[in-house]
Amino acid sequence: MTDITRIAVPNKGRLSEPSVDLLRAAGLVLETSSRALSVPVRNMPVEVLFVRAEDIPELVHDDVVQFGITGLDLVAESVADTTVVQELGFGRCKLTAAVDESSTVFSIDGFSGLRVATSHPLTVNRFFSEKGIDITTIPLRGSVEVAPKLDIADAIVDLVSSGSTMMINSLRPIATVLESQAALITAGDRASSPLTTMIRSVVAATRKRYVMMNVQKESIAEIERIIPGADSPTVISLAHHGMYAMHSVVDADEMWRVLPALEAAGASAILVLPIEQMIP
Ligand code: AMP
């Protein structure tokens, strides 16, 4: 019998849908309409568990699942010892220390003696004690941002992505305690498996494009300069005399610079394709 690899993903919240999208992009065929706790994968020896994002580090540590997808903030906040296999590039946010706009505190040193409301007490205590700043944490599950207005706390440390919640609640950001994003985690040294290879290949390909074009022989050197890429580009001789096809992988963020330059350098029939999976 084949061993089943289990992976836990968040069952609700911001990380849930992008996690399932990632697994699907990695080739897993799973039925999630029922959102049962456990969903078998039809085409691979993998089982997906849908659980609370904050429980995932513990489940990974206890070997209930071999892998998990959750936020780095929750990994930091958990006492479970886990290893980050791969940062996944979604669910980006910052754990931000902030005070009410009316406060006289303008620096992190000014937090000394304050009551700090937070949903991440372990991380906050670690951050301030490393700096030798004495604070009292007020652990709250939610609505951390209203704590100063209710006089439950003098300051907060909360997750922020755009910063609009802070603005709406008249809070002044002071410092970043932790930068977070979703990550694939495991325990011990189980960092490589067919499942992690599939997931890493999708993440590596996300911000890449495959560029193909036709060029005159004389333009090859100039085009190589325009598309430095990771490796040297593929150059294939075409049936028409003096014409070549060039292929290369280009960062998606570079395309705005690369495409007009290729056109100006005389490239024609330029095709830009998404890449589904890539092992660099
Ligand atoms: P939630 O969607 O509130 O269940 O949050 C689950 C996880 O989503 C958090 O632990 C973070 O890792 C991540 N996240 C990303 N952006 C934000 C944000 N603006 N506020 C809260 N959590 C966020």
Side-chain angles (χ1 to χ4, degrees), residues 47-252:
E47 188 180 354
V48 182
L49 255 65
F50 289 92
V51 291
R52 280 156 31 118
E54 53 266 50
D55 293 340
I56 291 177
E58 190 75 43
L59 293 172
V60 168
H61 178 257
D62 294 348
D63 210 27
V64 175
V65 292
Q66 287 73 55
F67 298 99
I69 296 177
T70 192
L72 287 176
D73 58 305
L74 299 172
V75 173
E77 188 60 21
S78 170
V79 290
D81 188 16
T82 55
T83 315
V84 173
V85 179
Q86 171 78 48
E87 294 184 342
L88 301 174
F90 61 86
R92 284 182 195 276
C93 56
K94 287 177 181 174
L95 206 47
T96 303
V99 292
D100 194 82
E101 250 173 21
S102 63
S103 168
T104 53
V105 172
F106 285 88
S107 73
I108 205 72
D109 292 333
F111 273 56
S112 181
L114 298 189
R115 297 166 302 159
V116 182
T118 182
S119 52
H120 292 64
L122 270 183
T123 312
V124 168
N125 272 324
R126 201 182 305 131
F127 175 81
F128 284 101
S129 71
E130 274 170 13
K131 294 193 171 320
I133 300 168
D134 209 16
I135 55 138
T136 306
T137 44
I138 312 285
L140 291 180
R141 279 267 175 191
S143 305
V144 173
E145 65 281 1
V146 297
K149 282 271 179 294
L150 300 176
D151 200 25
I152 299 167
D154 311 301
I156 66 155
V157 174
D158 201 12
L159 288 174
V160 173
S161 44
S162 68
S164 59
T165 310
M166 290 248 168
M167 263 173 64
I168 292 163
N169 289 287
S170 310
L171 292 163
R172 183 195 310 138
I174 302 290
T176 299
V177 170
L178 183 100
E179 301 226 11
S180 183
Q181 61 175 288
L184 177 67
I185 59 167
T186 192
D189 56 3
R190 205 190 282 106
S192 97
S193 86
L195 180 61
T196 55
T197 302
M198 295 298 271
I199 292 175
R200 279 193 294 108
S201 71
V202 172
V203 176
T206 309
R207 302 295 304 152
K208 301 285 184 189
R209 298 291 180 269
Y210 195 74
V211 182
M212 303 157 70
M213 74 212 87
N214 292 348
V215 301
Q216 303 277 353
K217 187 170 188 185
E218 312 78 74
S219 312
I220 292 176
E222 190 184 348
I223 304 256
E224 267 195 68
R225 278 195 295 277
I226 297 168
I227 42 167
D231 297 306
S232 62
T234 309
V235 180
I236 309 160
S237 171
L238 294 181
H240 288 297
H241 184 67
M243 285 299 281
Y244 289 81
M246 286 181 77
H247 295 192
S248 191
V249 175
V250 177
D251 280 349

